[in-house]
Amino acid sequence: MKRFHYQSLPSRVVFGAGSLAELPQEIDAMGAHRALVLCTPEQRGMAERVVALLGERAAGVFDRAVMHVPIETAREAREVAHQLGADCAVAIGGGSTTGLGKAIALDSGLPILAIPTTYAGSEMTPIYGITEAGLKKTGKDIRVLPRTVIYDPELSLGLPVGLSVTSGINAIAHAAEGLYAVDANPIISLMAQEGIAALGRALPVIKANPGDVTARSDALYGAWLCGTVLGAVGMALHHKLCHTLGGSFNLPHAETHTIVLPHALAYNAAAVPEAVARIATALGGTNAAQAVFDLARDNGAPVALRDIGMLEADLDRACEIAMSNQYPNPRALEAEAIRRLLQDAFEGRRPG
């Protein structure tokens, strides 16, 4: 067995249908007393439900979370938390809301309790991302790791099927790149393969029956594992490309990950045969890139960047940005090949 380092992260998980009811005692266990509830405008109703559950522990609601965490929104939320005397934040929703909570924690040190309603997985990581002047900057700081995470599959029943699928494949992307990370280890690789398999099982069932609580639970379980992978080891080409496309061209996060992943796997496949074999096995296929593409296509997810707002004229610029900083990747970064990858993703070609 190879030498490796393994670092577990200090977070508490409360998992199961109906576990939202445990929120008040989880706030108490954190030693907090006044929680600012964070959400997107669309999830204001869910945030109000949390406020009702918290009672006097609720300081208020900030409902302006948006994707890619613009620095202006982060600063506004920090100021609201300060004005309301909040000593913690409760982030309910997807990656955008969790990301806003992290931005608050980074500056103020406020502890975060996350309640995911999608399969983004960012609640399990100390990674943050903030967009300033059109560029998304990411970093890692243990202060932004949510102290507690409540996974209640009942809260994901209303997640539209389309978003469920793209959010789930976004989570698969974390685990897939974790399998060939430069700092991969056997424990995280076990979590990665199990997480991919759980989501691979769950997503077709959710498409067929969105109200299937067992499938929703399986998907959240997979998202937890995949998010843990993201928080534990480094990512590679796929995530760099998606941060570039999302932060610089304002493409939707989960859809971008869904479209790019098969092509990033195809790019790296020859360099990491064992990793892509494990991905294919987890998805019940023989080719990892094709299995991910088929999972997306067969369950109604977009497979072409042109269908989510990308302009062909911007592909050259996207390639330049992606090549501007060198980072670990199993295959050397080759501008011509990456430009071709982006073209394939733009047109929605099934990997060969």
Side-chain angles (χ1 to χ4, degrees), residues 43 94 116-121 153-173 195-196 198-213 215-223 226 253-255 257-258 295-296 298-302:
Q43 291 187 304
T117 60
T118 72
Y119 310 128
E154 292 180 353
L155 299 179
S156 66
L157 290 174
L159 187 66
V161 168
L163 184 53
S164 297
V165 174
T166 56
S167 181
I169 297 176
N170 175 25
I172 287 173
I196 293 170
L199 282 157
R201 291 191 303 268
L203 296 180
V205 179
I206 289 170
K207 182 178 186 294
N209 180 11
D212 189 313
V213 177
R216 293 289 187 178
S217 183
D218 218 15
L220 270 184
Y221 168 65
C226 293
H253 182 85
E255 290 87 343
H257 276 270
T258 298
L295 182 66
D298 295 349
N299 289 287

Side-chain angles (χ1 to χ4, degrees), residues 235-260:
M235 297 288 106
L237 173 66
H238 168 80
H239 282 74
K240 176 66 174 180
L241 289 176
C242 291
H243 285 153
T244 295
L245 294 169
S248 298
F249 303 99
N250 203 38
L251 298 187
H253 182 85
E255 290 87 343
T256 301
H257 276 270
T258 298
I259 293 166
V260 170

Side-chain angles (χ1 to χ4, degrees), residues 131-153:
T131 299
E132 183 174 10
L135 291 175
K136 187 171 184 177
K137 302 173 183 178
T138 61
K140 184 177 286 190
D141 192 310
I142 198 65
R143 290 177 297 174
V144 310
L145 179 71
R147 191 81 57 83
T148 301
V149 180
I150 295 177
Y151 287 106
D152 186 340

